[in-house]
Amino acid sequence: MALNYIWIAFFLIAFVIALIRLIFFGDTEIFMHLVNGMFDSSKSSVMDIALPLAGNMALWLGIMNIGEKAGAINFLSRVVGPFFSRLFPEIPKNHPATGQVLMSFSANLLGLDNAATPLGLKAMDSMQELNPDKETASNAQIMYLVLLTSGLQILPVTIIAQRAILHAANPTDVLIPCIIATFVSAIAGMLLVAIKQKINIFDRVIVIWLGGIIFFIALMIWCLTHYLTKDQIGLVSKVVSNLLLYLVPVVFIIGGLYKKINVFEAFIEGAKRGFETSVKIIPYLVAMLVGIAVFRACGALGYVNDGLRWICVQLNLDTRFVDAMPVAYLKPLSGSGSKGMMINVMQTFKPDSFAGRLACVFNGSSDTTFYIVALYFGSVGIKKSRYAIPAGLFADLAGIIAAIFISYLFFG
């Protein structure tokens, strides 16, 4: 129901604002912008997202099927089982969904979007098999989705690359702030869902695992910043990410040979489901992205930013962060939109300005909540998302607030 009301609000708010601009300000082209936005976004939903995703889906679902038959997924399930059994108590121990969730999180951590989405959709499908009410999101699915919306990522390669393209003096100076902000977002979302689902977050296993993850991230950041130059960080990121990505199918294939399964047939069997899933999500993508497009085209985001700036002035607060806020507004709505706005902010205020750096941290602090809800829940036919959207937006808000404070701390 939350998604229903939000989608309706996109269109009604856009209509009211456009009508005011037409009647009181003589903007005769505003409705043309809304209509063009609808057509452009509906086309890009299919041509730029769904169809390219079909190939990735076929590839990675085929590889995942090899991994399942070779026993790799069950092995991962046993390794992380103690931790996941507490965080996802509805998923039975050693269930394949546990390994699939871990695989998708690993791809997200490395910023491997092409692999992360197919793996994540496979994990959601496995959790749907355990879901007693097929139209209502289960507790496990909500926890998984909220953690995804936090956008937890160790190496924001695309952000660093874009800063380098725009000639930032030190493209990697946003690395640590991005990691901290997205980690705050992930922890905030996890804690909220854990409280809602009455999960004991002080359980010894959860504390040990989270402590270990925090230690690993801190150690990695320290090593990167103390022993490598900015060029070396980019090189290591590129090599390690792609090495690990290619290592996954190689390990699965070797495991399949060891188990004496028909690896090629296993791949084909899994790949057949890729196109079916891609077609299934098209209506959800079109609906959500068209709603977001008209909301952006009417100028609503600009009005929100002007209001925020006025409030900050009245409270005698520093307003430099407001220049980057459009990125934060767009991030839960549109990944491409927030990326485009990040580039726009860096071009307008320079990449080494406070606003330019904060825009990058905003873009790396969370993921696209509404897109993820439409994509993942739509792929398995869930119509009632329960509190998934509010929890995801709460994680986004935590990431935004953390990004602002951390940027002031790092960049003054």
Side-chain angles (χ1 to χ4, degrees):
M1 292 300 292
L3 195 57
N4 175 50
Y5 294 136
I6 291 169
W7 193 75
I8 292 172
F10 284 153
F11 281 89
L12 295 184
I13 292 172
F15 177 75
V16 171
I17 292 176
L19 204 60
I20 292 173
R21 290 178 61 169
L22 173 65
I23 296 173
F24 294 100
F25 299 97
D27 188 349
T28 57
E29 296 187 346
I30 182 61
F31 280 100
M32 181 188 72
H33 292 319
L34 295 185
V35 172
N36 288 342
M38 288 194 300
F39 284 119
D40 290 343
S41 60
S42 62
K43 177 182 177 181
S44 65
S45 301
V46 178
M47 303 304 295
D48 298 333
I49 298 178
L51 291 184
L53 181 61
N56 287 328
M57 287 291 297
L59 169 65
W60 286 101
L61 290 186
I63 291 172
M64 286 292 288
N65 198 49
I66 296 173
E68 287 186 29
K69 292 182 179 298
I73 304 300
N74 286 332
F75 173 76
L76 286 174
S77 299
R78 289 195 297 271
V79 172
V80 299
F83 175 60
F84 272 53
S85 64
R86 288 159 175 80
L87 209 56
F88 298 90
E90 292 183 351
I91 300 179
K93 290 183 179 180
N94 300 328
H95 191 276
T98 302
Q100 292 160 3
V101 168
L102 178 64
M103 291 287 293
S104 68
F105 278 145
S106 299
N108 273 305
L109 282 171
L110 295 170
L112 306 173
D113 295 337
N114 289 339
T117 300
L119 295 175
L121 290 172
K122 176 61 177 175
M124 183 63 71
D125 184 62
S126 293
M127 285 185 279
Q128 181 70 351
E129 294 176 2
L130 301 170
N131 188 2
D133 185 350
K134 301 302 181 184
E135 293 190 352
T136 303
S138 67
N139 286 347
Q141 288 171 321
I142 292 174
M143 174 65 83
Y144 177 61
L145 185 138
V146 171
L147 289 175
L148 281 182
T149 63
S150 70
L152 188 59
Q153 189 177 147
I154 293 176
L155 297 170
V157 179
T158 55
I159 294 175
I160 293 172
Q162 193 59 59
R163 287 181 57 76
I165 291 171
L166 295 177
H167 307 294
N170 183 7
T172 60
D173 60 5
V174 298
L175 174 66
I176 295 176
C178 281
I179 293 174
I180 296 173
T182 189
F183 191 72
V184 169
S185 177
I187 293 297
M190 186 193 73
L191 291 178
L192 179 64
V193 176
I195 291 171
K196 182 72 176 177
Q197 297 180 3
K198 296 180 172 58
I199 295 173
N200 180 16
I201 56 177
F202 297 107
D203 182 276
R204 184 172 60 88
V205 174
I206 292 180
V207 171
I208 290 174
W209 269 86
L210 288 180
I213 293 171
I214 293 172
F215 174 77
F216 171 76
I217 292 176
L219 180 63
M220 185 205 65
I221 293 172
W222 185 81
C223 291
L224 287 175
T225 54
H226 282 75
Y227 293 105
L228 301 178
T229 66
K230 61 183 180 181
D231 293 331
Q232 290 173 330
I233 290 175
L235 180 61
V236 168
S237 169
K238 180 175 66 175
V239 172
V240 172
S241 297
N242 287 287
L243 171 63
L244 293 177
L245 184 61
Y246 193 75
L247 190 62
V248 171
V250 170
V251 170
F252 284 2
I253 289 171
I254 292 174
L257 290 174
Y258 178 76
K259 291 282 188 175
K260 298 181 179 179
I261 65 171
N262 189 321
V263 175
F264 182 76
E265 288 298 324
F267 176 86
I268 297 300
E269 179 185 328
K272 288 179 180 178
R273 298 194 292 268
F275 185 76
E276 298 171 3
T277 303
S278 299
V279 171
K280 189 187 299 183
I281 65 175
I282 287 177
Y284 297 91
L285 286 179
V286 171
M288 182 51 60
L289 295 183
V290 166
I292 292 169
V294 297
F295 187 73
R296 289 179 57 195
C298 72
L301 293 177
Y303 300 139
V304 171
N305 216 41
D306 291 339
L308 177 61
R309 189 185 303 276
W310 182 84
I311 292 173
C312 290
V313 170
Q314 300 305 309
L315 296 175
N316 293 319
L317 299 176
D318 186 280
T319 60
R320 287 180 299 160
F321 77 95
V322 179
D323 295 323
M325 284 303 292
V327 181
Y329 303 146
L330 282 173
K331 189 60 181 180
L333 302 174
S334 168
S336 59
S338 65
K339 186 181 297 182
M341 186 59 70
M342 175 191 74
I343 295 171
N344 179 263
V345 170
M346 285 196 288
Q347 289 174 332
T348 303
F349 299 96
K350 305 302 180 185
D352 291 322
S353 66
F354 180 81
R357 286 171 168 142
L358 178 57
C360 295
V361 181
F362 275 148
N363 204 46
S365 66
S366 61
D367 212 331
T368 314
T369 298
F370 292 107
Y371 170 80
I372 289 175
V373 170
L375 179 68
Y376 283 79
F377 282 174
S379 70
V380 293
I382 288 176
K383 298 178 181 178
K384 299 175 183 177
S385 60
R386 298 169 66 197
Y387 52 88
I389 292 176
L393 292 177
F394 176 79
D396 292 340
L397 178 61
I400 290 169
I401 294 173
I404 294 173
F405 280 99
I406 291 165
S407 294
Y408 274 108
L409 178 65
F410 275 76
F411 310 122

